[in-house]
Amino acid sequence: MSTILAKLPTGMRAELKEPLGAVYTDADALLADAGEPLVAVGDIVTYHLLEAGRRPDVAVVDGKTKRERVEREVLGAIEAFDDRIDVANPQSTITDDLLEALASALEAPGSTVVVVDGEEDLASLPAVVGAPDDASVVYGQPDEGMVLVPVEEESRVRCRELIEGMQSDYDRIAAILS
């Protein structure tokens, strides 16, 4: 049974609408600027990166975009990965299962897709906190494009502050990601 370690309060939703990095509409341009390893959060982002010829090292997907089921060809993209981890993560939360899957996927030698039963929208925050220096986290910005977040001290601090601003057990989150 997964434990919720962070829950997004309604008052923070607007704060999370601001992109954490540059917004791209072209996957090739994004990939030219991306570091390694590459972490993708979201079905559509993962699909576009695969279509551009780059399999993310880690992808976190939930089979939905804007709360609607994704098309079959997008769903099929999860078959492109070496390993698969299934987790439960309710809407507007970060669970220990999601964090453990992220940590495991970041350490795995091949590519891993984390398939979320629930919602993966907040996964980009712990992905930035847990990914190594010079990695990149890419997530979708609805109706705008893909956001590229270079993993460095500044972006880690920002994501940590956002998680700490939620109803969260940040110490436990940090322990799982370290």
Side-chain angles (χ1 to χ4, degrees):
M1 176 85 183
S2 62
T3 302
I4 294 173
L5 297 181
K7 184 160 179 47
L8 180 66
T10 309
M12 269 188 81
R13 290 186 190 281
E15 196 173 348
L16 289 177
K17 294 218 185 300
E18 280 300 308
L20 295 169
V23 179
Y24 291 77
T25 54
D26 179 77
D28 291 322
L30 181 147
L31 289 168
D33 294 341
E36 299 283 330
L38 181 64
V39 179
V41 177
D43 297 74
I44 303 299
V45 167
T46 300
Y47 176 76
H48 284 301
L49 295 174
L50 288 166
E51 286 293 295
R54 176 63 167 90
R55 179 174 55 186
D57 300 284
V58 178
V60 185
V61 299
D62 64 5
K64 296 185 259 328
T65 183
K66 299 184 203 169
R67 309 245 191 282
E68 300 290 324
R69 294 223 34 90
V70 295
E71 306 212 3
R72 180 169 281 126
E73 67 185 281
V74 174
L75 265 180
I78 66 172
E79 304 304 322
F81 292 84
D82 300 326
D83 198 12
R84 173 182 171 146
I85 303 171
D86 290 277
V87 299
N89 193 81
Q91 181 179 338
S92 302
T93 69
I94 299 170
T95 62
D96 57 347
D97 284 354
L98 175 63
L99 295 170
E100 288 165 9
L102 259 175
S104 174
L106 284 164
E107 290 178 10
S111 63
T112 303
V113 62
V114 178
V115 180
V116 175
D117 177 12
E119 188 180 88
E120 93 304 70
D121 292 9
L122 295 176
S124 55
L125 299 175
V128 171
V129 172
D133 287 341
D134 301 322
S136 288
V137 175
V138 183
Y139 67 90
Q141 187 76 7
D143 303 317
E144 288 185 48
M146 299 173 282
V147 179
L148 174 63
V149 186
V151 177
E152 57 199 14
E153 191 55 30
E154 186 181 329
S155 58
R156 271 201 194 97
V157 167
R158 178 72 181 124
C159 289
R160 184 176 69 233
E161 289 170 346
L162 287 166
I163 295 169
E164 287 175 333
M166 296 179 197
Q167 300 156 351
S168 71
D169 181 350
Y170 188 77
D171 291 339
R172 183 126 174 257
I173 291 169
I176 293 170
L177 293 174
S178 61

